[in-house]
Amino acid sequence: EDFDFLNLLGNIEQTVGNSSNALMYYEKAREQNPDDVNNLVALAGLYETFKRYKESNAAYEKVLSIEPDNALALNNYAYYLSVRGERLNEALVMSKKSLENNADNGSYLDTYGWILFKLKKYEDARDYILKSLKANPNSAVVNDHLGDVYDALGDRTNAMKYWNKAYELAPDNLEFKNKVSK
């Protein structure tokens, strides 16, 4: 029944890869304190994992109604919207806002670049994802995103370079493997 304890159990379960158990504990914690933004952000991410998009959106929107400048929620919500290909212009605004006080955050730079990619603004996307790569050189996702951008720009050599790096960093990822082998 203790909020902090339930939240801690959710965090532990999520850390060890037990997403279903994590979700259960986070939901129980939310019953105790429905306005805790950290709990809501964790829930939103797990709802996304389970493709429970309405609940994910609602959790992020609640966080942003409580803390409109919460950079983590702005970034994560924007990224998930972009992955789903939804509300891209709104996602771009949220992502830009997350960067206002976090201009060197590699994850936030990647999100902004990825949304630009989804909007077919490939050169701008490349610039932001290159900045992200400087902060996160060993991120398989950022390397993959940069490969996709170079592919869209018609630069197959650089696309292969970054896709290979992504695959090297995450050899179990089938999507990366397929890009390299095609």
Side-chain angles (χ1 to χ4, degrees):
E1 300 295 316
D2 181 73
F3 171 80
D4 291 326
F5 186 66
L6 290 166
N7 226 22
L8 177 62
L9 288 173
N11 186 282
I12 291 168
E13 292 289 349
Q14 189 170 15
T15 300
V16 299
N18 295 331
S19 297
S20 295
N21 288 343
L23 183 61
M24 176 190 64
Y25 287 121
Y26 283 136
E27 286 180 330
K28 286 182 179 184
R30 183 187 54 197
E31 291 171 10
Q32 303 300 317
N33 186 354
D35 293 331
D36 184 85
V37 294
N38 294 321
N39 174 265
L40 287 165
V41 169
L43 271 172
L46 283 169
Y47 286 143
E48 193 71 29
T49 299
F50 289 107
K51 299 183 183 333
R52 293 167 60 177
Y53 302 132
K54 284 184 180 180
E55 290 164 292
S56 177
N57 290 356
Y60 280 125
E61 288 165 13
K62 183 159 186 179
V63 170
L64 295 174
S65 74
I66 297 166
E67 291 183 8
D69 296 326
N70 185 304
L72 181 62
L74 287 164
N75 176 74
N76 292 1
Y77 192 17
Y79 183 73
Y80 288 133
L81 288 172
S82 73
V83 168
R84 291 188 249 148
E86 298 175 3
R87 299 165 34 204
L88 294 174
N89 290 318
E90 184 181 343
L92 189 67
V93 170
M94 284 191 282
S95 180
K96 187 172 187 174
K97 190 172 182 181
S98 75
L99 283 166
E100 286 176 0
N101 295 316
N102 303 283
D104 296 328
N105 184 305
S107 295
Y108 296 3
L109 289 163
D110 178 63
T111 295
Y112 193 73
W114 191 242
I115 297 166
L116 290 168
F117 172 81
K118 291 287 197 160
L119 290 168
K120 300 185 185 326
K121 297 178 180 184
Y122 302 127
E123 290 181 12
D124 291 336
R126 179 195 57 213
D127 295 344
Y128 277 91
I129 295 175
L130 279 168
K131 289 178 189 176
S132 173
L133 194 62
K134 285 181 183 174
N136 293 322
N138 293 318
S139 168
V141 171
V142 174
N143 278 280
D144 177 58
H145 286 172
L146 193 54
D148 289 352
V149 169
Y150 277 117
D151 186 50
L153 288 168
D155 184 344
R156 198 68 163 163
T157 302
N158 273 318
M160 288 303 298
K161 172 184 170 184
Y162 290 103
W163 286 336
N164 276 314
K165 181 66 174 178
Y167 180 55
E168 175 188 314
L169 291 166
D172 294 334
N173 186 305
L174 294 178
E175 182 183 346
F176 301 162
K177 182 179 181 179
N178 290 336
K179 286 180 184 180
V180 169
S181 64
K182 77 174 184 177

